Amino acid sequence: MQATSVDSPQRSVLTQLLSKLTELCARNAWATIFLVVLSAAGCVFYTAQNLRFKTDRSDLIDPKSKFYQRWLRYTKTFGESDDIVIVVESKHPEIIKQALDEIGSRLNAYPTLFKSVLYKVEAGALREKGLQYLPPELLTHGLERLDEFRPILSGNWDLVTLNGVVTRLQSQIARLRRQPEAQTELLQHAQALTSSLLATLRNSDEFTNPWPEILQVPDEMEDQEKQTSYLLNDAGTMGFVMASAVQDKGSFEGPTAAIDMVRQQLDETRQNFPKANFLLTGISVLENDEMRRSMADSTTASIISFIGVAVLLFLGFRGFRHPMLGLIMLAVAMSWSFGYTTLVIGHLNILSVSFAAMLMGLGIDFAVHIISRYLELRHEGHDLIEALVATSDSVGVGIITGAVTTSLAFFCATLTDFLGVAELGIIAGGGIMLCSLSAFTILPALLAVADRRIELSELPRPIQARPLRRLTRNHPGFVLTASLLCIGAIGSQAIDWSGPVPQLKVVYDHNLLNLQAEGLESVKAQKQIFDSSQHSLLYALSIADSAEEARTLKQKFEQLDSVHQVQELATRLPKTPSSQTSLLVQGYHSQLSTLPAEPPEPRPVSPAGIGQLMERLYDVVKQQKDPVSQEISKTIDQFLDELEQKSAKDQVTFLTEFQYRMSYALLAQFQAIAAAANPEPVTADDLPSELRTRFVSAEGKWLLQIFPKDQIWDMEPLERFVNDVRTIDPEATGTPLQNYEAARQIKQSYEICALYALGVILLTLLVDFARKTKLLGIFVPAVAVTLFVGFMMQTKQMELSLGMLLLTLTGLAMLAALILDRRAVGDSILALFPPMIGMGLTYGLLVMFEIPLNPANLIILPLILGIGVDNGVHILHDFHAKPNEVYSTSPSTINAIILTSTTTMVGFGSMMVSAHRGLYSLGLVLTIGVGACMCVSLVMLPAVLTLMSRHRTTAATDFAPLEYPDLLPVPMIDEREAVVIQREPFVIHEPIQIA
């Protein structure tokens, strides 16, 4: 229907354009269909050739943000490294090591899929420079000890005999009898020798080194000397393999090929290790599992959505042909939208990839409104072309207003800092406008072709919803009272009234793991890793300019209450500068450079001679009362007694062999020291390559990985960890810091987007509902003042926010409208009833059923505004199209709102079949929100308008009927309501136009 302002008896420019466009397309139907389908096919081809995908979460973040700049500096220095983590569990450490070796070798066999496979660390060049890890005083003492062996090192290995060693020990201990401190090393040597003699006599396999250590090597040096160190937890029950996936950034598959290969290799490895348990996790695996699950669930949901929408359309329009035409229109609009996306953005990210599902639910709404009104006019007796033109006249402006408000609500996302939301806003906003364009081009052409030979009696009659219309028209007071009581009871559940200031009780869940599917292996694995080893997949990253700075930062980080441990490589370098140790190490190198490969051939040893020497040693130590001496005397006594029990031949054999093994043990000690006496300074290049590539950059930067003490998927421990880390290094970065900033940014972006969308919607509604003669008076001063404010802010070098200017413009325009055109403000507020009150209902239901908001479903804020206000606009236009009667919602309007809302609910509700909890929550929350808006649109708002219509007069309205005498007057009889409507020329009422 169509109406016009008393200020202008003519139809608005927009209405005329829509009508002419509809008539042009309908009269040239086949040409229109050909051109539109050709353009759609071109868009599909262009999209297939040029559309790219970005799969990383970091692609959702504004690259200009400070925290992302820190991340970029890290990736530029060290490269991106989201490891695939393989976990091997077993009670037997050896089985774990064997499994790690097999998995590591399997992954290394696919260099095109994996890089930097880490499961064990080889000491490498560090063993050759091991002495440099010792402090100078220890090295000095070792040189002094080594000097005692100078004759032997000069080649006189004949001195290393059992007789000579025992004689020397006996004489030196006796000489230093009154100097206990000086005896300590001698007694230690005597104890080592006698213990080795007794143990070897009893069992030749129990030989131990009878020489004291020349260098007392600390544990850290022993760690460096280990040939192989596997990645195990402290208990030795869990081993790890970490590998970075080589992936194509331009493919939506991401690391899928690598992850699939890992799973294939694990399946084969499990057969060889039945006593071990294998798990797969890692940030890249978690994200890939989420992507694949969400894609699979989205595909299923899309199929269910398409079928559900089609069934609803078939039921709503009581036929097959017209719903199919609407779906064809939607397919064309989707093709255009993909082409637009490819041209304007060029890619989809893991957030904007969902725009297609949104457009399916929103884009079909335009077809529903047009087909509903078209069928109503056809049943009133108008021919095909006239009905199509009259449809554009009556609901065209309402459709455009709804499309503009919803589109601008999405476009407001570009004013936020979160890139993912901004790109989604650009894509969805443009897509909605393209859907509205297809509704006025190909849909009239399709209807003109499909219905050209159809008799009026064969056209379906959409549902009328007579009981609901009768209730709101005849009992508006009761309906409004009941609605307010119901809304108040439910909406109040969302408010916490206990404090001094009421607060929202709706919970926001930041935990990204709670968006994953239940029972996902990668989620379970990361929990097991943390429980078994306090090792988190999330860790902060700090970059140091030198090894010394890295060691200092490590000490500071480890003092934080929220930090469990810090991993880095700087502590694998010597703490003492090479300038203090190089000369000492050179001393070892020079003295041990001429060692023989083996000691001299053994010479026979006289048992009688050894026995006498051991007796003398026994007498010397027996006289001393210290525990070590007493232990030595006891060991000598046992050794001599047991040696006497052997035959003379066996005694000679044993003593000769022991003397040779004793010589070999001393030589082995010399050789071990010589092998670690490389005087060249230790550098980062000497570190194991598997670790060096991860922790030391080519520019000499040193990386620290800071692991949290608590699980930091939830916001409270995450915020505590992030704040603590930044007290030490404000420039720290890493996945948890990225998650923290992104989580806050996406929440703020959706909230700000909703606020900006409300401002844009109010401006659009003012343009729609204000008198044409008042538009300039409302907007010119508001725009001028806003521009002046922006100019002053820029002049004073204040931060200029487009969003704030938008809200300023909205406030000024509303203020001017209150003075010049109050009715326009009232209509705008009434049009906002469905989204605003519907949002309150939704929040109350979320609290009642304990449904949290999260990063996946928070899009409800701007989306419900756009969807709900669309219903409000159509109801208000229908209200103003009936200026001289008590208002009752038109059948076509109520049918369109029911169908658009239910199809949208089915479209979003289909996501509730998803195992992915993020998609499930998105579908659930949006279904509740759209349902709430529909209830307000169909029940509460019509009741309010019915009460208002009882007090309005014709003179008070700006809407007056325009007569079209060329249209056939027909009787209109509503048989069920038994109301005869007077025969009169057909009139179309035109809503206030968008100039």
Side-chain angles (χ1 to χ4, degrees):
M1 292 181 293
Q2 195 169 8
T4 157
S5 168
V6 293
D7 298 311
S8 175
Q10 301 297 323
R11 293 179 297 165
S12 69
V13 174
L14 178 60
T15 303
Q16 295 180 55
L17 288 175
L18 293 176
S19 299
K20 290 180 179 179
L21 177 62
T22 300
E23 183 176 8
L24 176 66
C25 294
R27 293 192 183 280
N28 301 276
W30 284 112
T32 300
I33 293 172
F34 174 76
L35 292 175
V36 168
V37 171
L38 183 63
S39 66
C43 287
V44 171
F45 178 78
Y46 176 67
T47 299
Q49 295 296 315
N50 298 283
L51 186 63
R52 297 292 179 262
F53 298 92
K54 293 185 176 181
T55 58
D56 289 346
R57 291 187 187 276
S58 59
D59 294 324
L60 305 179
I61 302 171
D62 182 3
K64 296 180 181 178
S65 60
K66 292 182 179 179
F67 72 93
Y68 190 65
Q69 287 295 315
R70 300 186 193 111
W71 175 259
L72 290 179
R73 286 196 292 270
Y74 158 72
T75 57
K76 182 179 180 180
T77 304
F78 290 92
E80 297 187 21
S81 58
D82 285 334
D83 282 324
I84 297 172
V85 180
I86 302 167
V87 184
V88 182
E89 286 185 305
S90 177
K91 296 180 180 179
H92 308 286
E94 289 305 316
I95 291 179
I96 294 178
K97 292 177 182 179
Q98 294 172 15
L100 294 180
D101 283 329
E102 180 167 337
I103 296 171
S105 61
R106 284 174 176 267
L107 299 188
N108 280 322
Y110 296 93
T112 58
L113 292 177
F114 306 101
K115 61 181 180 180
S116 190
V117 179
L118 175 64
Y119 59 98
K120 63 181 179 181
V121 178
E122 302 285 355
L126 291 180
R127 285 197 302 271
E128 300 177 5
K129 302 178 180 181
L131 293 186
Q132 298 185 46
Y133 286 86
L134 302 180
E137 56 272 15
L138 185 57
L139 290 173
T140 302
H141 179 69
L143 282 175
E144 294 172 355
R145 294 287 305 274
L146 196 62
D147 194 59
E148 299 174 5
F149 296 92
R150 184 178 296 277
I152 299 172
L153 294 174
S154 299
N156 193 3
W157 282 90
D158 291 339
L159 296 175
V160 187
T161 61
L162 196 54
N163 286 341
V165 172
V166 175
T167 300
R168 188 165 55 254
L169 283 173
Q170 179 266 326
S171 62
Q172 289 179 347
I173 292 173
R175 187 173 67 250
L176 299 175
R177 182 178 302 170
R178 299 184 182 278
Q179 303 178 30
E181 295 181 357
Q183 280 188 336
T184 301
E185 293 184 0
L186 293 173
L187 291 176
Q188 290 176 349
H189 188 183
Q191 187 178 34
L193 176 63
T194 55
S195 299
S196 182
L197 279 167
L198 180 59
T200 308
L201 180 64
R202 292 174 174 176
N203 185 348
S204 61
D205 294 333
E206 295 295 328
F207 174 82
T208 57
N209 183 12
W211 300 95
E213 292 289 342
I214 298 174
L215 284 172
Q216 295 293 330
V217 180
D219 293 340
E220 61 187 37
M221 180 178 172
E222 291 182 357
D223 291 339
Q224 300 291 343
E225 290 178 344
K226 289 181 180 178
Q227 293 210 356
T228 303
S229 175
Y230 287 84
L231 302 187
L232 302 175
N233 65 349
D234 294 338
T237 59
M238 184 178 284
F240 307 95
V241 179
M242 295 188 292
S244 297
V246 179
Q247 55 182 297
D248 180 5
K249 289 291 183 180
S251 168
F252 196 72
E253 295 298 314
T256 297
I259 292 172
D260 287 343
M261 178 57 70
V262 171
R263 289 196 165 105
Q264 177 184 331
Q265 297 302 319
L266 286 183
D267 288 340
E268 297 176 4
T269 305
R270 283 188 181 97
Q271 301 175 8
N272 300 330
F273 299 92
K275 294 184 179 180
N277 182 36
F278 296 84
L279 298 171
L280 181 64
T281 187
I283 297 298
S284 58
V285 178
L286 286 169
E287 292 184 355
N288 185 261
D289 284 350
E290 180 181 25
M291 182 270 291
R292 291 206 275 187
R293 171 63 72 176
S294 62
M295 287 295 293
D297 290 344
S298 295
T299 301
T300 303
S302 297
I303 295 173
I304 294 174
S305 173
F306 184 83
I307 295 173
V309 168
V311 169
L312 281 176
L313 292 177
F314 297 152
L315 294 176
F317 288 119
R318 298 177 180 178
F320 179 80
R321 183 173 63 256
H322 294 93
M324 285 304 300
L325 299 181
L327 293 174
I328 293 172
M329 181 220 84
L330 180 61
V332 168
M334 293 297 296
S335 300
W336 286 350
S337 298
F338 273 104
Y340 159 78
T341 299
T342 307
L343 177 65
V344 175
I345 302 296
H347 61 263
L348 293 175
N349 56 51
I350 58 177
L351 189 61
S352 61
V353 72
S354 63
F355 90 94
M358 294 181 184
L359 288 188
M360 286 183 65
L362 299 174
I364 196 66
D365 294 355
F366 306 128
V368 169
H369 282 288
I370 287 178
I371 294 173
S372 295
R373 181 60 180 150
Y374 160 77
L375 290 175
E376 185 179 50
L377 291 174
R378 289 300 304 274
H379 282 292
E380 290 177 359
H382 307 301
D383 65 26
L384 192 151
I385 301 297
E386 289 173 342
L388 288 174
V389 174
T391 296
S392 292
D393 278 340
S394 59
V395 299
V397 173
I399 289 175
I400 294 300
T401 301
V404 169
T405 53
T406 306
S407 177
L408 289 179
F410 277 109
F411 275 121
C412 283
T414 60
L415 301 177
T416 67
D417 295 328
F418 197 72
L419 185 61
V421 175
E423 289 184 353
L424 175 61
I426 294 172
I427 293 170
I432 288 171
M433 293 308 298
L434 290 172
C435 288
S436 66
L437 176 62
S438 67
F440 291 101
T441 52
I442 191 170
L443 186 57
L446 291 172
L447 288 169
V449 171
D451 289 353
R452 65 185 184 280
R453 295 188 178 89
I454 302 299
E455 297 294 332
L456 184 62
S457 59
E458 298 178 21
L459 291 174
R461 186 181 293 275
I463 57 176
Q464 305 293 301
R466 289 188 178 89
L468 179 60
R469 292 166 51 216
R470 193 180 299 122
L471 180 65
T472 56
R473 183 191 61 199
N474 297 335
H475 308 285
F478 169 76
V479 171
L480 182 58
T481 302
S483 299
L484 290 174
L485 289 175
C486 181
I487 291 170
I490 296 176
S492 63
Q493 299 296 315
I495 305 297
D496 182 5
W497 305 97
S498 60
V501 179
Q503 294 182 338
L504 275 178
K505 293 167 61 177
V506 180
V507 176
Y508 184 80
D509 184 6
H510 292 85
N511 194 325
L512 297 178
L513 288 184
N514 291 338
L515 303 183
Q516 298 276 15
E518 289 279 3
L520 206 60
E521 178 196 21
S522 53
V523 177
K524 292 169 59 179
Q526 72 87 26
K527 292 180 179 178
Q528 286 183 238
I529 290 174
F530 189 86
D531 294 339
S532 300
S533 62
Q534 283 288 301
H535 220 64
S536 173
L537 296 180
L538 301 178
Y539 48 84
L541 299 169
S542 178
I543 300 176
D545 293 328
S546 64
E548 292 76 14
E549 183 184 358
R551 282 193 289 262
T552 302
L553 286 174
K554 179 179 182 179
Q555 293 177 353
K556 292 181 179 179
F557 282 126
E558 289 179 335
Q559 293 174 1
L560 298 174
D561 292 336
S562 59
V563 172
H564 170 59
Q565 66 173 348
V566 179
Q567 290 187 355
E568 43 70 55
L569 283 189
T571 51
R572 288 180 173 262
L573 294 182
K575 294 181 180 179
T576 306
S578 59
S579 60
Q580 300 181 26
T581 59
S582 59
L583 291 179
L584 296 173
V585 174
Q586 181 64 44
Y588 285 93
H589 180 72
S590 60
Q591 290 196 51
L592 300 173
S593 59
T594 59
L595 292 173
E598 293 182 357
E601 290 294 326
R603 296 180 181 180
V605 180
S606 169
I610 288 297
Q612 293 176 358
L613 292 173
M614 294 297 289
E615 288 285 357
R616 294 175 186 172
L617 179 60
Y618 173 81
D619 292 337
V620 171
V621 296
K622 183 65 175 176
Q623 297 175 11
Q624 302 186 177
K625 304 302 180 183
D626 61 277
V628 176
S629 298
Q630 293 299 311
E631 182 68 25
I632 294 172
S633 64
K634 182 179 179 180
T635 302
I636 293 173
D637 188 45
Q638 292 175 344
F639 169 72
L640 292 176
D641 288 344
E642 294 182 22
L643 183 64
E644 287 180 1
Q645 298 175 11
K646 293 183 176 292
S647 64
K649 181 179 179 181
D650 289 343
Q651 290 178 1
V652 172
T653 301
F654 165 73
L655 292 173
T656 302
E657 182 178 338
F658 183 86
Q659 180 174 272
Y660 180 77
R661 295 172 76 174
M662 183 177 68
S663 301
Y664 211 111
L666 181 60
L667 177 61
Q669 192 172 165
F670 290 154
Q671 290 174 338
I673 296 174
N678 187 332
E680 294 293 327
V682 179
T683 65
D685 293 335
D686 297 317
L687 296 169
S689 60
E690 300 90 344
L691 295 176
R692 185 180 66 251
T693 55
R694 295 169 183 263
F695 287 93
V696 185
S697 72
E699 298 83 12
K701 302 290 185 179
W702 294 77
L703 184 69
L704 296 90
Q705 296 177 348
I706 304 104
F707 289 84
K709 185 174 294 183
D710 302 312
Q711 283 278 34
I712 54 174
W713 291 101
D714 291 316
M715 177 53 72
E716 184 178 348
L718 173 60
E719 185 172 23
R720 184 168 58 251
F721 175 71
V722 170
N723 290 336
D724 282 354
V725 168
R726 284 178 173 169
T727 61
I728 306 300
D729 181 7
E731 297 299 312
T733 184
T735 302
L737 284 84
Q738 292 282 96
N739 288 351
Y740 172 73
E741 295 290 354
R744 293 200 311 166
Q745 198 177 75
I746 191 172
K747 184 174 184 291
Q748 293 171 357
S749 294
Y750 277 129
E751 292 170 346
I752 293 173
C753 180
L755 182 62
Y756 293 165
L758 179 61
V760 168
I761 288 171
L762 280 172
L763 289 176
T764 307
L765 292 176
L766 281 180
V767 173
D768 186 14
F769 291 121
R771 297 180 181 91
K772 287 191 299 182
T773 55
K774 304 296 184 182
L775 283 176
L776 291 178
I778 292 173
F779 282 97
V780 170
V783 171
V785 173
T786 302
L787 291 176
F788 176 75
V789 170
F791 174 76
M792 293 301 296
M793 291 176 65
Q794 199 167 29
T795 301
K796 296 183 178 181
Q797 297 182 345
M798 299 173 62
E799 185 176 354
L800 187 62
S801 170
L802 294 178
M804 293 306 298
L805 292 179
L806 170 64
L807 295 179
T808 301
L809 176 62
T810 303
L812 292 172
M814 290 293 290
L815 182 61
L818 278 173
I819 299 172
L820 299 176
D821 194 349
R822 295 182 185 178
R823 197 218 58 212
V825 176
D827 287 346
S828 300
I829 294 174
L830 287 172
L832 283 172
F833 266 32
M836 301 305 292
I837 298 176
M839 188 69 74
L841 274 174
T842 302
Y843 274 20
L845 292 171
L846 293 182
V847 172
M848 289 173 62
F849 294 104
E850 297 182 350
I851 303 170
L853 292 175
N854 56 51
N857 62 32
L858 196 62
I859 196 174
I860 184 177
L861 296 178
L863 197 56
I864 290 300
L865 279 174
I867 294 174
V869 79
D870 187 42
N871 293 344
V873 166
H874 285 290
I875 292 289
L876 263 294
H877 282 183
D878 187 48
F879 170 72
H880 285 305
K882 302 175 180 180
N884 301 319
E885 58 187 84
V886 175
Y887 178 67
S888 176
T889 315
S890 298
S892 61
T893 301
I894 201 168
N895 177 66
I897 290 177
I898 290 174
L899 280 180
T900 56
S901 298
T902 53
T903 52
T904 301
M905 291 171 68
V906 167
F908 289 125
S910 63
M911 298 181 185
M912 294 170 62
V913 303
S914 302
H916 186 272
R917 286 178 287 177
L919 286 178
Y920 171 85
S921 69
L922 174 62
L924 176 61
V925 171
L926 284 174
T927 300
I928 294 173
V930 174
C933 291
M934 179 181 69
C935 291
V936 177
S937 302
L938 298 179
V939 180
M940 182 181 177
L941 183 57
V944 171
L945 295 176
T946 300
L947 287 174
M948 291 175 59
S949 67
R950 292 179 176 179
H951 303 286
R952 68 181 176 181
T953 62
T954 304
T957 184
D958 288 322
F959 295 83
L962 284 178
E963 296 189 0
Y964 288 80
D966 57 321
L967 298 180
L968 179 66
V970 295
M972 300 192 301
I973 301 177
D974 190 330
E975 297 176 355
R976 294 193 182 186
E977 298 185 17
V979 177
V980 179
I981 302 175
Q982 297 292 328
R983 282 177 65 109
E984 59 181 45
F986 173 71
V987 295
I988 298 177
H989 300 278
E990 177 187 20
I992 283 297
Q993 61 288 335
I994 301 176

